[in-house]
Amino acid sequence: MAGLERCDLKLSGGEVIDGTGAARMRADVAIVDDRIAAIGDLSSVRAGREIDVTGRIVAPGFVDVHTHDDRALLSKPTMDMKVSQGVTSVVVGNCGISLAPLVMDRRPPPPLDLLGTEEWWKYGTFDAFLTAIDEAPASVNAAFLVGHSTLRVGAMDDVYRAARSDEIKTMRGRLEESLDAGACGLSTGLFYAPSEQAPTEEVIEIARALKTHGGRYVTHMRNEGADVVKSLEETFLIGREAGVPVIVSHHKVHGKDNFGRSKETLALFDRYRKSQKIGLDVYPYHASSTVLKADSIAFSNRVMVTWSVPHPEHKGRDLKDVAEEWGVDVYAAAERLQPAGAIYFSMDEDDVQRILSYPQAMFGSDGLPHDEFPHPRLWGTFPRILGHYSRDLGLFPLEEAVRRMTSLSAEEFGLKDRGEVAEGKFADLCVFDARDIIDSATFEDPMTPAAGIDTVVVNGRIVWAEGRCTGERSGRALRQGRA
């Protein structure tokens, strides 16, 4: 901004990685209100507050494209688990599970219960949910997907079958209302019981509502094991028939028989990306986490319990140990623990690194903020990528890592004026030490804040500094990606 004389906040002496993939540069960054006002040598610009960030990286705030933070935005509004790792925007409503539009008078079926019990399911419209976010803002921005499983539970008397034409019409109408209110797409969780009986045609008919709203189709596919290619083919077909962009959630291949097949799946992405818009996200761990399910146990080398309603004392324990203690097999133990959640060790590290290295792969945590003993990805995803995979293993340069957690994510999800350090963009920023940044959360101690994150700014306000939340709640509901 030519002639800038004064700003509200100035970050001085740092190296700017702007999020585009360009080489870092030495520059000061000035912020006025909620926007970046100037970048460069700003020694003559007076500031209401100036922070010396010499020796630090100044990057766009990270965008966590795969979260289940719908309820956390309201129940944990300082969002410590996200701002502590540099995240300034989240995409909620993934895997077919969104907190709206649905009112429940009983515990919702798994996996909807990952967001909470019935008292949290009180938003009959998406507009009511977004209004609640506006009235009690969190420390991060949020963009919103509408969950197909949520729509099914609200429209059908029995979700364990295909929907009838009238039910499809109801679901599509509620999706359209939600898109009008500000949702940016539809998510499915065809892997889960409430939606696994939905035929491809049902999803296509509902997803057709997305095109006129500029929405995207985001999916936890039916299968990430033996039928992973078949599931990718179905996903791409849905996108083509609906005429909308597709994003494959937490892309992986699991089960020992499928180790190495990421070569095959990524080749399929390359093939179809030539003719349609396709994206994907990935998290940097070889273990997954969701509700406790027998079919997931079958593919895993090890299973850890993350929560259990009837037996909370077993959180953090190996399922095998619980089963031995009870004198039953792991499947009987899992049944006794229900409702419950788990971590599944079922992936190959080579596949994880191959997908992480794919140039179009965005990064998302898939963290479960309401698990009592969560997967460490909830607190560690982004520093783990920057520290372990970029710096220590050299999978990709730091500039490339930042690009794929900022500008690429903002572009794929339509987050206007975010994801770059540039004049006129929103002042969502993360200041970190490239030498020290690393995840601290482990499978044994999963809720430890990362190291190396100095300062995090959301819409011009500092939300994380000196190792703690500041109490600022400057995040916004991004209706169709816009503030």
Side-chain angles (χ1 to χ4, degrees), residues 77-141:
T78 58
M79 297 293 285
D80 305 42
M81 66 285 188
K82 294 301 167 73
V83 297
S84 64
Q85 54 179 312
V87 170
T88 58
S89 296
V90 298
V91 179
V92 308
N94 282 279
C95 297
I97 316 162
S98 61
L99 203 55
L102 181 63
V103 175
M104 295 288 291
D105 59 3
R106 62 193 185 283
R107 186 183 181 94
L112 276 67
D113 58 352
L114 289 173
L115 297 186
T117 48
E118 58 269 26
E119 66 268 23
W120 285 99
W121 296 86
K122 57 187 177 182
Y123 304 104
T125 67
F126 223 85
D127 185 64
F129 177 44
L130 294 182
T131 298
I133 300 293
D134 288 338
E135 291 175 349
S139 293
V140 297
N141 306 304

Side-chain angles (χ1 to χ4, degrees), residues 247-471:
I247 295 171
V248 176
S249 295
H250 46 54
H251 182 48
K252 68 175 82 69
V253 288
H254 68 69
K256 185 171 291 187
D257 291 344
N258 298 298
F259 286 1
R261 292 190 66 195
S262 58
K263 297 176 184 176
E264 184 181 355
T265 63
L266 293 176
L268 203 65
F269 275 96
D270 284 338
R271 173 184 162 194
Y272 279 95
R273 280 175 51 81
K274 294 176 182 177
S275 58
Q276 64 183 115
K277 188 167 177 53
I278 298 169
L280 69 155
D281 67 70
V282 59
Y283 50 76
Y285 297 87
H286 64 273
S288 61
S289 183
T290 185
V291 291
L292 187 56
K293 295 173 87 260
D295 51 357
S296 295
I297 295 170
F299 284 109
S300 302
N301 300 319
R302 177 189 175 197
V303 179
M304 288 180 67
V305 179
T306 56
W307 59 275
S308 168
V309 172
H311 294 284
E313 69 273 15
H314 292 308
K315 67 184 181 184
R317 296 191 64 194
D318 275 28
L319 180 63
K320 181 181 177 182
D321 293 340
V322 175
E324 289 178 355
E325 190 173 291
W326 284 346
V328 298
D329 67 20
V330 291
Y331 299 101
E335 188 62 33
R336 193 181 296 185
L337 289 164
Q338 298 290 357
I343 293 169
Y344 305 96
F345 294 83
S346 62
M347 289 179 269
D348 180 58
E349 178 65 16
D350 287 346
D351 285 315
V352 173
Q353 292 191 24
R354 191 174 293 116
I355 297 169
L356 284 170
S357 299
Y358 188 68
Q360 297 306 314
M362 298 175 286
F363 303 128
S365 71
D366 196 14
L368 299 173
H370 310 300
D371 280 11
E372 295 178 13
F373 198 89
H375 190 302
R377 64 193 183 187
L378 178 66
W379 286 81
T381 288
F382 294 87
R384 181 170 176 80
I385 291 166
L386 297 170
H388 179 62
Y389 285 105
S390 175
R391 181 192 61 227
D392 298 343
L393 297 187
L395 277 190
F396 30 68
L398 189 61
E399 287 84 351
E400 172 65 3
V402 170
R403 179 186 75 85
R404 292 203 276 124
M405 56 180 67
T406 57
S407 68
L408 177 62
S409 304
E411 178 184 358
E412 292 279 3
F413 280 91
L415 308 186
K416 183 174 173 56
D417 287 343
R418 300 187 191 273
E420 292 183 36
V421 181
E423 290 186 12
K425 302 289 186 180
F426 284 106
D428 294 344
L429 300 166
C430 176
V431 179
F432 65 91
D433 188 330
R435 299 161 297 186
D436 294 339
I437 191 166
I438 196 67
D439 57 310
S440 302
T442 65
F443 288 101
E444 293 72 31
D445 189 9
M447 293 186 283
T448 307
I453 302 287
D454 288 4
T455 306
V456 181
V457 179
V458 176
N459 295 313
R461 301 292 187 93
I462 297 172
V463 299
W464 179 266
E466 299 178 353
R468 63 180 63 89
C469 289
T470 65

